[in-house]
Amino acid sequence: MSSVLVIYSWPRLWSMGTGRGSPDFYHSLLALTRTSDEVRLVCPRDKEMSIAGQVPPGVKVSSFSWPRLPLVPAPRGPRAIRVAVFCLNWPVRMLNFLSFNISASRTAHRECESLERLALVSAHGFMGARAAASLAARFDVPLTVRLFGVSL
């Protein structure tokens, strides 16, 4: 029995509401359900909507909450002020990245412990890539990472 664990970086599957927006990730999950015995999806929890009703049949969802610090909004005005705000936000972005990966790693590790045979770890988006890489190395399985244009 082969299993795939997917770490998704966003709390919603569809960017424009259920069934609307880019179907890329939905089709990726659908393809994985056709080629694997079990697909587990680890993603951040959304307070407003559960992602569980948006995934294809056969995908088990485990969501997690993570402490996300707010960023200082980018002001209008002189370039020097905008650069200063960007520099102030940088450590906050790094803390958010770290807290996301710790939470994702813990949840994904719990999921992997209950799997009979993990065959692949996949990450969609840069936020979950570090957690997926450490998990793939720990369980000695292949890793795939899909980065999107806004992440590069």
Side-chain angles (χ1 to χ4, degrees):
M1 186 161 158
S2 67
S3 302
V4 175
L5 183 110
V6 180
I7 299 178
Y8 190 55
S9 298
W10 299 277
R12 294 182 181 195
L13 184 64
W14 297 95
S15 60
M16 301 171 75
T18 303
R20 295 182 6 226
S22 176
D24 294 353
F25 184 62
Y26 184 87
H27 289 300
S28 297
L29 289 175
L30 196 57
L32 287 171
T33 61
R34 293 180 184 146
T35 60
S36 304
D37 297 318
E38 189 172 9
V39 177
R40 304 262 180 118
L41 174 63
V42 174
C43 62
R45 187 173 298 128
D46 187 354
K47 295 175 185 138
E48 299 172 16
M49 178 190 304
S50 171
I51 199 171
Q54 301 177 22
V55 297
V59 176
K60 182 185 176 217
V61 177
S62 293
S63 60
F64 60 89
S65 59
W66 58 292
R68 186 174 189 169
L69 300 170
L71 299 174
V72 176
R76 296 188 182 268
R79 185 174 194 275
I81 293 175
R82 293 193 317 263
V83 168
V85 169
F86 176 81
C87 291
L88 289 172
N89 279 334
W90 191 253
V92 176
R93 289 178 191 274
M94 292 297 103
L95 286 172
N96 283 340
F97 178 78
L98 181 63
S99 68
F100 179 95
N101 276 279
I102 290 170
S103 299
S105 290
R106 286 180 180 164
T107 304
H109 200 297
R110 276 195 304 272
E111 288 298 313
C112 287
E113 288 175 347
S114 65
L115 295 174
E116 189 175 310
R117 183 178 160 272
L118 183 62
L120 175 71
V121 175
S122 179
H124 287 255
F126 80 97
M127 285 290 280
R130 182 68 194 121
S134 64
L135 203 64
R138 179 178 178 124
F139 289 94
D140 195 30
V141 295
L143 167 69
T144 64
V145 177
R146 181 168 184 193
L147 297 176
F148 300 89
V150 295
S151 302
L152 300 176

